Structures are given as C-alpha cells and as structure tokens.
Amino acid sequence: MAEDVIQIGLFNKDPAIIAADAKGFFNKENIRIQIDTVTDSPTLLRNLISGKYDLIMNNADNVIAWAEGQGEDPQKNDFVIFLGGSRGVNQKLIVGSGINDYGDLKGTIFAVDAPTTGYAIVGVYILKKDGLEVSKDYTFKAFGNTTKRAEAMSRGEASAAMMSLADDEIQKRGFKVLAKAEDYVQHYARGLGATRRYWANKNEDLLVRFTRAMIRATDWVTDSNHKDEVIAMLMPENRNNKPRAEAMYEESISPRFGFSPRSQIDMDGIQSVLQLREIAGLMKPPLPKPEKYVDERFYKKALASLDR
C-alpha cells in the first residue's frame, strides 16, 4: 500500500518530529512527511491557508491570531489545534549594546517576526509591565525569525527583540539580556500541531495516525534511557555543536519548557495566550474559551489506540 504523504510547515524541527521520522514511528503508520522550514510566520500561515501545507507546528498565538483575522492578512480562518507541543516561553528580551534599561528603549525599533502575533505579544506584555507602550514609546518592525532579528540588531536597524539566542551568541554579538519571559509568563502553548478544520475532518484517519506517531515520539524522547541517542540526533540540527544539542535536549525534557506529557494539548497555555492578546489590546473581553480553537478527538483516538 502506498504511503500517505503529509506536507508540514514549521520554523525548526523539534526533537519529537526528528525522532518520529528517524525511529520509524511515521513509517509504522505508513506515513511519509515532507518538511518545509520557513523564516517568518506570515509565510507559514499563508502556505497552510493555500493548502501548500497540510499542517503546521507552531505557537498557539499565531493560530489564534490568524483564526480571528488578526494576522498579517485580515480574513478569518477555520483552524484547529489537534496536537500538543511544548510549554512555557524560553525567550529573552535582548537589547543592543547601547541599551542599559527600559527607559533607553523609548523611541527605538523593536524587531519582531510579525507585529500582531507570536513572541512580539510577550514583548508587549513585558514592556507594558515596565511602563512602555507599543506605538507610543517604541515601534515594531518585522524582520522574521530569531536569526533575522539578531542580524537586524547587529546592523543597528533595531534595538531590541524577543529571542532564544544562546548565551555565547549573545556575548559574541555584544548584546545584553534585559528580561526573561519566564519571569513574566507562567504558561504558554507552543509547537502545537494545527491545520485547517476542513482538512482535519476530511483526513481524520491520517491525522489520528500522525498524532499517534508523535505521541510515541514524545514518549521516546522524554525517556531518560534515550538521552545520548536523542542528543546524537540533534547534532545535525545544531551544526554539530554538542553543547547546543545538549541544551536543546534539556529544554525538551524540562518541566518548565519541555514537551507536554504524551503530547497533550496545553489548555492552560492556550488560555494564557488569549489573556496576553487581551492585555496587548488585540482581543476584547469576553475572551473565547480555548476550546474554540481545539479539537481533541484526534488526540483522544490516537491515545486510545496506541497499542495497535
């Protein structure tokens, strides 16, 4: 029987999807994946909408924003989250060498992936807590992913950004950490599986099989007996830099930032994203419930049939 092919869009391959492919969990489900990596969220979401991607792995914030017509494009989209990912925000508010405190950010450019989605909203929240208002005290400018934002700051085109740069990279570029998102945001749902609701309903069996493979992969990655093998798998994703591969592994198993147990959908993290969007002035009360954007039946069917 011919394999079913799934087109997936994402920013970076996480340990679970790497393991699902390398350890044969997809093969067991008669699935072959084709992954396309992007450097900005508008491209990711537009490709999902157009059908170029069958599904994406992304933060709940982007899914919600584009579902509500608050992304880069104004139309609403019927998206559904079907698979859990990781918890928490392991991002830092990183500033250029000339910035010493929050006051120095007045009148500057804040580099973002997209101005109304993702970690930009976490940045708005942190700066608001410290007395700065977006569009009044500082301005957003979209550059793309972490690498693109870091390059913009190095060129002097921006003074700050939310990023996940490694400490050695921060020092090498002469940047400083002004704040850590984890000190401001307790819950955050990221790396979730999402797709168009129409596609999910039309391809229910395939989506259940994909979800089952990902649950198995998450179980395998988070089993401490596999630590060395997981790190070895992550080496190519980190330019064969072992300390970075080890850091990626440690984050993936961390209770604060790691995978949700058995790839459960983090409803508290989705609720937190909704609240952050309200604080940033992008959503008005009463807020929708997380269930508006989630359909757990694919996950529940996958979990119930794991022994197959």
Side-chain angles (χ1 to χ4, degrees), residues 12-23 25-26 33 35 57 83-86 191 210 213-222 230 233-234 248 252 259-260 263:
N12 301 291
K13 289 186 278 187
D14 68 24
I17 203 160
I18 292 169
D21 204 18
K23 297 301 293 183
F25 298 126
F26 287 137
I33 61 167
I35 291 177
M57 312 296 284
L83 177 72
S86 300
F210 175 85
M214 289 299 292
I215 296 172
R216 286 193 177 107
T218 303
D219 287 350
W220 186 85
V221 167
T222 54
V230 176
M233 282 183 182
L234 297 178
M248 189 176 180
S252 74
F259 292 121
S260 298
S263 297

Side-chain angles (χ1 to χ4, degrees), residues 80-82 197 201 265 291 293-299:
V80 61
I81 294 167
F82 65 89
R197 196 180 300 269
N201 291 334
I265 298 171
E291 287 79 4
Y293 312 99
V294 174
D295 190 337
E296 290 190 288
R297 65 194 164 98
F298 309 100
Y299 177 82

